[in-house]
Amino acid sequence: MKKRDLIIYRVATALFSLMLLAGAITYFVQYEMVSKMFTSLGVPTEIIYPLAIVKILGILAIWLIKNPVIKTLAYLGFALDLVFAIIAHLNAGDGRAIGPAIPLALLIISYVFYRKKRQVLN
């Protein structure tokens, strides 16, 4: 893998990870605010804590797990979460769909360069 590609992969993955980690932490420390947002989107508030935990585990899987199946499942889980978040915001008409769209773009970049990295290793 070219050094440039590795840098792009690491920067995109780091920015994505920081954004999702900040969101997961917000789920814990500002539960009331997050609960109101989930309610306005029509999403059950019972999933706030489990979703925060799964996001943290997914970030750990992307960075630490070497198994390509588990890593790919983490990417898939994040993609589904972010696509559904975009749909929920568009459906609510609150103008906040760009919030999950940015990490989704970073996730796509990270995954594309992760696949390049895997091809070089195989």
Side-chain angles (χ1 to χ4, degrees):
M1 177 176 229
K2 294 178 184 174
K3 186 174 183 175
R4 175 190 70 97
D5 291 349
L6 187 59
I7 291 170
I8 292 170
Y9 166 73
R10 287 185 178 161
V11 168
T13 306
L15 290 173
F16 167 80
S17 299
L18 290 172
M19 291 177 86
L20 271 285
L21 184 60
I25 291 169
T26 301
Y27 286 13
F28 288 113
V29 299
Q30 294 185 338
Y31 179 83
E32 289 302 319
M33 179 200 68
V34 173
S35 180
K36 288 178 186 174
M37 181 186 63
F38 271 53
T39 302
S40 73
L41 295 173
V43 178
T45 59
E46 292 82 11
I47 69 165
I48 293 173
Y49 289 138
L51 187 57
I53 292 167
V54 169
K55 285 182 179 188
I56 293 167
L57 292 174
I59 292 166
L60 291 173
I62 287 174
W63 283 102
L64 303 176
I65 303 294
K66 300 297 180 204
N67 184 317
V69 174
I70 293 173
K71 194 172 277 216
T72 300
L73 287 173
Y75 276 108
L76 174 62
F78 281 126
L80 291 172
D81 174 56
L82 293 167
V83 167
F84 288 140
I86 291 168
I87 291 169
H89 284 289
L90 290 173
N91 188 47
D94 64 4
R96 293 185 173 182
I98 192 71
I102 293 169
L104 180 61
L106 290 168
L107 178 73
I108 291 167
I109 294 166
S110 173
Y111 185 71
V112 166
F113 283 91
Y114 161 68
R115 296 287 298 180
K116 276 187 172 186
K117 187 173 102 171
R118 271 198 59 219
Q119 288 174 351
V120 171
L121 296 176
N122 290 337

